[in-house]
Amino acid sequence: MKKIQLLFLLTFIMVGFVACDKEDEKSLTDQNKENLIGNWKFVSSSTNGVQDNNGTCETMSTISFTSDKINGTDYWGENCSESENYSYNYTVNDNSITVTTADGTFISEIVTLNATGLVIKNVVESETYLSVYIKQ
């Protein structure tokens, strides 16, 4: 009986060591960066908690994250015939995305990020903007 208890105890301890392996744990930064990589389609936005009236052109906008670049296309004009492509360097630190452009450095907060959805928050002066994307 003591051998069975000892065997059980040793098995329990070994499982605990394997389950708590620090090498398997990813930091929040690594998890977010890994989940960001891919193509995202703009769905909607809000300003100070009020849903914006997004038109067809806005909902055609897309962004794509690589390991170090954010690439995107914005559409506007009659029948969304005008567009602009952009590409900027970015970094992730916990729940923050820092984007570097010719106009400066901008920091956005990751509110939600999972395999299918992304919500980004930007605060400019007294305005709070939320942008919602789905993964393509």
Side-chain angles (χ1 to χ4, degrees):
M1 182 69 163
K2 286 190 178 214
K3 286 184 181 181
I4 293 173
Q5 289 174 337
L6 181 60
L7 184 60
F8 178 78
L9 181 60
L10 288 174
T11 303
F12 183 77
I13 291 171
M14 291 303 292
V15 169
F17 280 126
V18 172
C20 294
D21 188 2
K22 293 270 186 207
E23 291 180 25
D24 290 341
E25 295 177 17
K26 290 186 180 179
S27 70
L28 181 59
T29 297
D30 290 341
Q31 289 174 26
N32 282 340
K33 190 159 187 174
E34 191 175 283
N35 286 334
L36 272 176
I37 293 175
N39 300 315
W40 298 88
K41 183 173 180 357
F42 177 80
V43 175
S44 65
S45 63
S46 64
T47 304
N48 295 328
V50 177
Q51 187 70 33
D52 294 331
N53 190 11
N54 301 118
T56 302
C57 295
E58 288 90 354
T59 58
M60 289 176 58
S61 296
T62 59
I63 56 175
S64 175
F65 288 90
T66 66
S67 62
D68 63 346
K69 296 265 188 209
I70 177 173
N71 305 297
T73 305
D74 290 331
Y75 295 90
W76 70 90
E78 188 173 325
N79 297 319
C80 308
S81 59
E82 297 183 52
S83 65
E84 179 182 23
N85 295 318
Y86 57 86
S87 181
Y88 304 119
N89 292 325
Y90 83 96
T91 58
V92 175
N93 187 9
D94 291 336
N95 279 336
S96 296
I97 303 171
T98 302
V99 178
T100 305
T101 73
D103 296 325
T105 301
F106 303 92
I107 299 174
S108 301
E109 178 186 340
I110 300 170
V111 176
T112 303
L113 175 58
N114 56 43
T116 60
L118 169 64
V119 179
I120 299 173
K121 178 170 107 175
N122 291 296
V123 178
V124 180
E125 296 177 7
S126 62
E127 305 286 323
T128 300
Y129 302 96
L130 290 179
S131 300
V132 179
Y133 296 87
I134 57 170
K135 200 154 201 181
Q136 295 184 302

